[in-house]
Structures are given as structure tokens and as C-alpha cells.
């Protein structure tokens, strides 16, 4: 009996130590991801923290290993072997196989729910940074004097800061990717302090606007539009909502059209760059019949210069999904997508959380936030959120 008690206490201490280490590593990961201005050169620490989180928290029994992880490991081994056979750089092969491995194993890791609060605290810091920088730019800079600051941000690899009129500054810097995700998640789980959640939502919304990413706004529009109509209400209330929405559409149709036209006219160069990237990547993969089906291998880089950009050695593209397609080919890419869909629907079962994930994909797809550490964090957080909602439902059921 005494031995059993000691064994139980030892197990509890191990779990407590594991959770503490995981909390520290999670903090390092989120800090590095959100504070890439000015710590972009320390991104390796974020990758090591992520590796530590996976190593500490991966849970599987013998049956689960043979059914899930063994096939994944075999497929990953094939991808590595094929990439090396293509003559791709070993360090890049290792980089991308780790991303794939993390993206797939993240669905099987359930972190302590309190880590959501740490995600809130560190993304809030990024919001404060964006809002503060916006007001500094408006107060102390103009169209002529802000240019040296913009070039400094670009040269440091932090992102961009730009304006068209001098009355509003877009700040699409690295570290913004998780802000819309945390904002949307707050509608379904207690991310923000309950008494001040409306205040914090306004802070996040303001920072998202200052981030100057049109895809963020489209994603949030889709999110709120669906949220507005999917609430369980009477038919009469639904009629009133449709009537109110129709009135707003009529009222803001002309101003909205002018706004979209202005945004799209300013983004012509950006859209041209994206189209150019797609053409370059598809042209590269289409050189041989084999590479169309199996890809150019993990870590493949293109050697092409166009009117828009020199892509030689690039591993980051605005449409990162097409870069993964270039590496994986039709067969492997479809397999990867199907695995993600299967794991998402089996591990993130709550439809509200799947909706948040879909909205994240919507804005990440047109930015280099997909198939990277940001998406791994999103998956880990959604699995945590699913556990929180399941526990709440279990408590409610017990009370009934």
C-alpha cells in the first residue's frame, strides 16, 4: 500500500514537472512567434521550444502507435528519401519534414488549458505594440519622414510599414498572424477576462485593423456574418436580422464598393506578385511528369528571376501552400490535406472550433502563415479549446 502511494505521488510530481516545463516552452514559443519584431533572428529558439513541447506531451499506446504514428513516420521517411534523391539541401529537407511532422502530431497533444491565458497575454502585447506604433507614426511622422523607418523594418526582416495618405499607416509586420485567431476564439472559450472581454475584443480589433492586412478583414467579416445567422433564435428574429442586413447593404453598398475598389487598386502590385509566384512554382514542378505527381522534393528551391522578383533560393512565398504543392506533388499533397482534414474532424470535434480553424485558413492561405509554426500553434490551441468545451459539457451534464 505504501509503495502504491509513493508511486502515485511520484507520477503526480512527474506530471507537474512536465506541465511546468511545457508551460515555459509554450511561453518561449509564443513570445518568439509574436515578438519577431525585434527577435526575428531568434526563431530557432521557437522551433526548439516546439520540439520540446511535442517530445514532452506526445501521448500514444502501442495500438495508437501502429495505427497512426507508424504510417506517418513511414510516409515522412519516404518524403525525406525522395527529397535527398532529388539532391535537395539536407538542412532544408530537415526543416520541412519537421514542419509536416509537427502539423500532424499537434492533433494528438493536449496541453493544460491554462496555456490559453498565456497565448492571450503575449498576443495582447503584440496588439499594444501595433496600436502604440500607429499613434507614434501619426504623431511624429509624415509621408516624407517615415520612409527611413520603413526601409529599416524591411532591411531587418521585420515586415513592412507603409501609408498611402499619411493619415493611416498599415503595419503588416511579423508576429501579427495569431491576432485574428485569438479574437475569433474568444467568442467560444474564455480567452479574455470575462468582465472585460468586450474591452479586449476592441483592443484586438483595433490592432487587426492597424495590421493592414485585407485578408484579416475578409476573414473577420465571414466570421461575424456566419455568427450573426447561426445563433439559435426564432424565425421572427431571423426575419428581423435579414431585414436589418438588407438595409445595411443598401446603405453601405456605394461606400463599400468605393472602399474595395481603392483597396484593390492599391494591392494590384501585391496580387501581381502572388500570381507571378504561382506561375513560377507551377512551371518548376511541371518540368517532368514524375515531379507533377511526386513533387520536387522537400526543401526544393527554384532558380528563376522574373519582372517582379528574383526567386533564387527562396523558401517563403505569400502563397506558401503552392510552395508546399511544389515540394510534395499531387499525390503527397492530397494525402497531406486528407490527413489534416481527418485529424481535424476527429480531434477538434466541436463545430464552432472547426469554424474558427476554417476562418484562420481563409486568411492564412493568402499569407505565409500556413503550414508553419503559426498553424501548429493554432492546432495545439484548438485541441486545448476542444478539451475545455468537453469538460464544460461534462460538468453541465453532471449537474443536470
Amino acid at each position: 500500500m505504501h509503495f502504491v502511494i509513493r508511486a502515485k505521488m511520484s507520477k503526480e510530481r512527474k506530471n507537474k514537472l512536465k506541465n511546468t516545463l511545457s508551460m515555459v516552452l509554450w511561453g518561449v514559443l509564443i513570445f518568439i512567434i509574436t515578438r519577431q519584431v525585434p527577435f526575428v533572428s531568434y526563431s530557432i529558439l521557437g522551433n526548439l521550444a516546439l520540439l520540446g513541447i511535442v517530445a514532452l506531451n506526445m501521448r500514444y499506446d502501442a495500438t495508437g502507435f501502429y495505427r497512426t504514428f507508424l504510417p506517418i513516420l513511414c510516409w515522412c521517411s519516404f518524403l525525406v528519401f525522395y527529397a535527398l534523391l532529388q539532391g535537395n539541401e539536407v538542412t532544408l529537407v530537415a526543416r520541412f519534414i519537421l514542419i509536416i511532422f509537427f502539423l500532424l502530431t499537434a492533433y494528438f497533444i493536449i496541453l493544460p488549458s491554462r496555456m490559453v491565458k498565456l497565448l492571450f497575454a503575449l498576443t495582447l502585447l503584440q496588439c499594444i505594440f501595433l496600436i502604440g506604433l500607429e499613434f507614434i507614426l501619426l504623431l511624429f511622422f509624415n509621408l516624407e519622414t517615415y520612409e527611413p523607418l520603413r526601409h529599416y523594418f524591411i532591411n531587418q526582416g521585420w515586415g513592412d510599414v507603409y501609408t498611402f495618405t499619411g493619415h493611416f499607416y498599415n503595419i503588416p509586420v511579423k508576429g501579427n498572424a495569431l491576432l485574428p485567431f485569438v479574437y475569433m476564439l474568444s467568442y467560444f472559450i474564455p480567452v479574455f477576462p470575462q468582465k472585460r472581454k468586450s474591452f479586449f475584443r476592441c483592443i484586438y480589433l483595433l490592432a487587426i485593423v492597424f495590421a493592414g492586412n485585407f485578408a484579416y478583414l475578409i476573414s473577420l467579416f465571414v466570421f461575424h456574418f456566419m455568427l450573426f445567422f447561426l445563433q439559435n433564435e426564432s424565425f421572427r428574429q431571423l426575419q428581423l436580422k435579414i431585414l436589418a442586413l438588407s438595409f445595411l447593404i443598401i446603405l453601405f453598398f456605394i461606400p463599400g464598393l468605393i472602399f474595395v475598389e481603392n483597396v484593390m487598386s492599391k494591392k494590384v502590385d501585391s496580387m501581381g506578385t502572388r500570381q507571378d509566384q504561382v506561375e513560377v512554382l507551377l512551371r518548376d514542378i511541371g518540368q517532368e511528369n514524375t515531379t507533377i505527381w511526386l513533387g520536387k522534393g522537400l526543401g526544393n528551391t527554384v532558380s528563376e528571376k522574373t519582372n517582379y522578383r528574383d526567386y533564387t533560393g527562396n523558401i517563403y512565398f505569400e502563397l506558401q501552400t503552392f510552395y508546399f504543392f511544389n515540394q510534395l506533388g499531387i499525390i503527397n499533397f492530397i494525402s497531406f490535406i486528407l490527413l489534416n482534414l481527418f485529424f481535424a474532424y476527429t480531434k477538434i470535434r466541436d463545430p464552432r472550433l472547426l469554424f474558427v480553424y476554417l476562418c484562420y485558413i481563409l486568411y492564412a492561405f493568402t499569407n505565409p502563415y500556413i503550414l508553419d509554426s503559426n498553424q501548429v500553434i493554432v492546432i495545439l490551441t484548438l485541441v486545448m479549446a476542444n478539451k475545455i468545451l468537453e469538460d464544460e459539457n461534462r460538468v453541465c451534464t453532471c449537474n443536470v
Side-chain angles (χ1 to χ4, degrees), residues 18 24 32 49 54 79 90 106 137 202 209 233 266 270 272 288 313 320 391:
K18 184 191 75 172
V24 171
I32 294 296
V54 172
L79 293 178
V90 175
L137 288 165
C202 290
V209 171
E233 293 176 339
K266 291 168 184 175
S270 176
E288 301 173 18
Q320 194 75 350
D391 290 344

Side-chain angles (χ1 to χ4, degrees), residues 80-133:
V80 171
F81 175 75
Y82 178 75
L84 295 175
L85 205 64
Q86 293 290 105
N88 295 341
E89 190 178 328
V90 175
T91 54
L92 291 180
V93 174
R95 177 192 183 94
F96 285 104
I97 198 62
L98 277 175
I99 291 173
I100 288 174
F101 182 73
F102 287 153
L103 284 167
L104 295 177
T105 55
Y107 293 101
F108 297 87
I109 295 171
I110 303 176
L111 297 172
S113 58
R114 65 180 182 273
M115 293 192 185
V116 173
K117 298 297 182 183
L118 192 54
L119 176 66
F120 155 66
L122 292 172
T123 50
L124 178 63
L125 187 63
Q126 179 70 2
C127 291
I128 294 168
F129 166 74
L130 288 175
I131 294 168
L133 182 57

Side-chain angles (χ1 to χ4, degrees), residues 20 28 49 69 92 144 296 305 313 330 372 374 385:
T20 302
V28 171
F69 289 106
L92 291 180
E144 289 76 29
K296 299 283 284 188
K305 186 176 182 180
I330 293 173
D372 71 343
N374 285 296

Side-chain angles (χ1 to χ4, degrees), residues 14-25:
K14 284 181 181 178
N15 284 335
K16 189 175 181 180
L17 178 61
K18 184 191 75 172
N19 289 339
T20 302
L21 285 173
S22 297
M23 190 76 170
V24 171
L25 292 171

Side-chain angles (χ1 to χ4, degrees), residues 21-288:
L21 285 173
S22 297
M23 190 76 170
V24 171
L25 292 171
W26 178 255
V28 171
L29 173 62
I30 303 300
F31 182 82
I32 294 296
I33 288 294
T34 56
R35 304 301 316 123
Q36 292 186 64
V37 181
F39 301 112
V40 68
S41 57
Y42 295 95
S43 58
I44 184 65
L45 294 178
N47 295 330
L48 291 173
L50 182 56
L51 183 61
I53 290 169
V54 172
L56 282 170
N57 294 278
M58 191 183 294
R59 300 175 184 179
Y60 56 84
D61 52 23
T63 305
F65 176 78
Y66 286 112
R67 285 182 179 175
T68 306
F69 289 106
L70 190 59
I72 289 174
L73 288 172
C74 289
W75 181 58
C76 288
S77 300
F78 166 74
L79 293 178
V80 171
F81 175 75
Y82 178 75
L84 295 175
L85 205 64
Q86 293 290 105
N88 295 341
E89 190 178 328
V90 175
T91 54
L92 291 180
V93 174
R95 177 192 183 94
F96 285 104
I97 198 62
L98 277 175
I99 291 173
I100 288 174
F101 182 73
F102 287 153
L103 284 167
L104 295 177
T105 55
Y107 293 101
F108 297 87
I109 295 171
I110 303 176
L111 297 172
S113 58
R114 65 180 182 273
M115 293 192 185
V116 173
K117 298 297 182 183
L118 192 54
L119 176 66
F120 155 66
L122 292 172
T123 50
L124 178 63
L125 187 63
Q126 179 70 2
C127 291
I128 294 168
F129 166 74
L130 288 175
I131 294 168
L133 182 57
E134 178 73 25
F135 281 104
I136 288 170
L137 288 165
L138 288 170
L139 291 172
F140 301 107
F141 291 85
N142 56 43
L143 280 170
E144 289 76 29
T145 58
Y146 95 98
E147 283 291 341
L149 181 65
R150 182 188 185 190
H151 291 302
Y152 182 74
F153 267 67
I154 293 170
N155 292 334
Q156 293 295 318
W158 294 346
D160 199 358
V161 177
Y162 64 93
T163 182
F164 297 109
T165 63
H167 304 302
F168 176 83
Y169 288 83
N170 297 280
I171 314 174
V173 294
K174 292 179 178 179
N176 294 342
L178 296 173
L179 301 186
F181 167 72
V182 174
Y183 170 83
M184 291 185 286
L185 191 63
S186 73
Y187 282 83
F188 304 122
I189 66 166
V191 177
F192 304 146
Q194 285 298 105
K195 292 182 179 179
R196 294 186 176 87
K197 63 182 178 182
S198 296
F199 169 75
F200 283 114
R201 279 178 188 159
C202 290
I203 293 292
Y204 273 73
L205 199 56
L206 192 61
I208 289 165
V209 171
F210 290 159
N213 192 315
F214 193 49
Y216 290 0
L217 302 180
I218 292 173
S219 185
L220 291 188
F221 173 79
V222 171
F223 174 78
H224 280 291
F225 182 83
M226 295 300 291
L227 203 63
F228 184 72
F229 281 102
L230 292 179
Q231 290 175 343
N232 294 324
E233 293 176 339
S234 66
F235 180 70
R236 175 63 178 167
Q237 288 173 316
L238 184 61
Q239 283 182 316
L240 290 173
K241 282 184 175 183
I242 293 171
L243 186 65
L245 183 66
S246 302
F247 175 74
L248 290 173
I249 289 173
I250 294 169
L251 186 65
F252 292 105
F253 180 74
I254 300 298
L257 206 62
I258 294 169
F259 172 76
V260 171
E261 186 180 350
N262 287 337
V263 170
M264 297 307 289
S265 65
K266 291 168 184 175
K267 292 180 73 68
V268 166
D269 186 57
S270 176
M271 293 174 67
T273 302
R274 285 175 166 82
Q275 183 180 346
D276 186 54
Q277 290 176 3
V278 171
E279 291 174 357
V280 166
L281 291 168
L282 293 181
R283 191 159 52 242
D284 181 61
I285 197 177
Q287 290 176 359
E288 301 173 18

